Amino acid sequence: MSRPFATIDDDGAPLKVLLVGAGAMGHTWLGAVQASPLVELCGIVDLDLEAARASAASIGKPDLPVGRGTAQLASDVGAQAVINVTVPAAHHPVSTEALFAGLPVLGEKPVASTVAQGLSLVAAAELTGQLFMVSQSRRYNRDLFAAKALAGGLGRLGILSADFFKAPHFGGFRDQMDHPLLLDMAIHQFDMARFLLDADPVSVFCEEYNPAWSWYGGDAAAVASFEMSGGERFVFNGSWCSPGQETSWNAAWRLGGEHGTVLWDGDNTPTATVSPAMDGAAVTPAGAAVVKDPGSEVHGSLREFVSALRTGTPPMGQVHGNILSLAMVEAAIESAATGQRVRIDALLERAYREAVREEKRPDVAAVLDSWSIDGAFSAAVALGTAPAPAMPSRVS
């Protein structure tokens, strides 16, 4: 699921990037930008200018330009791309502003607060021809790539499970969220499951609950069972209030196929056990997988973002595909609320209707309208599995 996007010629100089958001994640991304020879930080945007100045000073650049407006500061300093690390509620307006200023965007997960807003951003990326990539940073893990490579020796895949058990005392907004685990964390494992299986979600049944000792206001534990597009099942079993014998932040994984199983504890090298095929067919032995180095977390996603802009190669996390990871979260929450299995296509249809209803820009609304075939929303057209429709003329 990808679409072509505008590239930026490699002139040998680092890509000039603007960081939007001077909060906690902003500091994480400042470190990644400072460590990369591929990019040059040319400014920081935040509604709180003192926070922006403090962030600049923290990396030894007290004179770095700061501002409250993304498009304006980008124009002032000659930025070539935007890194959006604002809070989720600001993802849609900030990314929209950047895209229509002619700037490609690398954004923190989730793509937006809702799938409907995410579809609006898909349309904005289509209309502007700019790359919008979501940083699903936990995909950028050499051991995850190794687990996927080992799975190639298992034949047909069928069963994937992720156990996630941690007990963080965050304080602040997470303690009061209605769905702290599903909204703030599970999107990582849901996205990793799509990567490991090379499959997308079809439906989900989910149950949320809150153990009696939980210090969270909302449900901090959940079990979700997804049907995937290849017929596989993915089961997530997790809790954010389970002290003792905690798993990796990446979760503990088991992937089963017709010829064996891959195990990965989330932190160390994965292992595989392969049994001879029942029909005597040759089976690829499980050994040390030879994999490329995807980089580490935000450092890896930043590197791929720059590479995509230089080469035109669609990156992991391009918005057209990544929105399905957010759809998995929304569908799981809906299932837990209704007690019913939720189909992803039905959720996307409802989100599409909401996106059309709420869209403020006529040009983006026209793109959204173009995704309807004979009056019905086509996810294949919208998300890139079918030929793109003719785009309407851009309206400023």
Side-chain angles (χ1 to χ4, degrees), residues 86-113:
T86 56
V87 296
H91 286 185
H92 180 267
V94 169
S95 294
T96 299
E97 180 183 354
L99 291 169
F100 278 94
L103 298 164
V105 177
L106 174 60
E108 259 296 332
K109 62 84 184 169
V111 53
S113 292

Side-chain angles (χ1 to χ4, degrees), residues 9-316:
D9 290 340
D10 188 352
D11 59 1
L15 189 76
K16 298 182 70 175
V17 299
L18 194 68
L19 184 76
V20 185
M25 281 307 300
H27 289 289
T28 297
W29 278 96
L30 279 176
V33 169
Q34 287 295 98
S36 174
L38 301 176
V39 295
E40 174 190 348
L41 181 66
C42 60
I44 299 175
V45 173
D46 199 281
L47 293 177
D48 184 343
L49 290 180
E50 287 307 310
R53 293 187 183 105
S55 291
S58 73
I59 57 172
K61 295 183 176 181
D63 297 326
L64 190 74
V66 300
R68 292 191 176 95
T70 299
Q72 183 61 60
L73 187 58
S75 176
D76 291 345
V77 300
Q80 297 170 286
V82 163
I83 302 175
N84 181 3
V85 293
T86 56
V87 296
H91 286 185
H92 180 267
V94 169
S95 294
T96 299
E97 180 183 354
L99 291 169
F100 278 94
L103 298 164
V105 177
L106 174 60
E108 259 296 332
K109 62 84 184 169
V111 53
S113 292
T114 65
V115 173
Q117 290 183 356
L119 290 172
S120 171
L121 287 170
V122 173
E126 288 285 326
L127 186 59
T128 61
Q130 296 297 330
L131 171 63
F132 178 27
M133 172 183 162
V134 181
S135 173
Q136 291 284 171
S137 58
R138 292 187 183 275
R139 277 202 187 197
Y140 296 88
N141 183 304
R142 185 180 180 87
D143 291 329
L144 178 68
F145 272 63
K148 183 172 183 175
L150 287 171
L154 302 184
R156 291 170 294 185
L157 303 178
I159 307 166
L160 177 65
S161 66
D163 289 330
F164 178 88
F165 294 96
K166 303 291 286 185
H169 288 263
F170 294 112
F173 71 93
R174 290 182 180 88
D175 286 2
Q176 304 305 318
M177 291 174 65
D178 290 335
H179 315 278
L181 180 69
L182 287 178
L183 274 178
D184 202 54
M185 186 68 212
I187 191 169
H188 283 300
Q189 283 73 43
F190 293 177
D191 183 75
M192 293 160 80
R194 291 180 54 227
F195 173 75
L196 284 169
L197 293 172
D198 272 331
D200 287 320
V202 173
S203 65
V204 60
F205 182 82
C206 179
E207 180 184 10
E208 278 189 297
Y209 60 101
N210 212 19
W213 62 87
S214 172
W215 48 93
Y216 294 88
D219 289 337
V223 180
S225 175
F226 289 89
E227 177 188 356
M228 304 299 284
S229 55
E232 311 93 340
R233 295 298 186 274
F234 163 56
V235 178
F236 170 83
N237 183 21
S239 165
W240 249 358
C241 54
S242 292
Q245 300 297 318
E246 295 182 16
T247 65
S248 163
W249 279 100
N250 291 317
W253 295 82
R254 181 185 181 100
L255 175 55
E258 63 180 324
H259 299 313
T261 298
V262 172
L263 297 177
W264 180 43
D265 67 3
D267 287 330
N268 299 294
T269 303
T271 60
T273 301
V274 177
S275 301
M278 293 294 291
D279 59 6
V283 177
T284 303
V290 178
V291 298
K292 70 173 186 178
D293 179 8
S296 176
E297 299 189 348
V298 296
H299 301 270
S301 58
L302 178 60
R303 186 177 76 182
E304 187 173 24
F305 177 66
V306 176
S307 176
L309 289 175
R310 298 301 195 193
T311 66
T313 302
M316 294 192 299

Side-chain angles (χ1 to χ4, degrees), residues 352-363:
Y352 170 71
R353 298 300 172 195
E354 180 183 345
V356 170
R357 188 168 59 248
E358 298 296 326
E359 184 56 55
K360 300 297 191 295
R361 292 189 61 113
D363 48 0

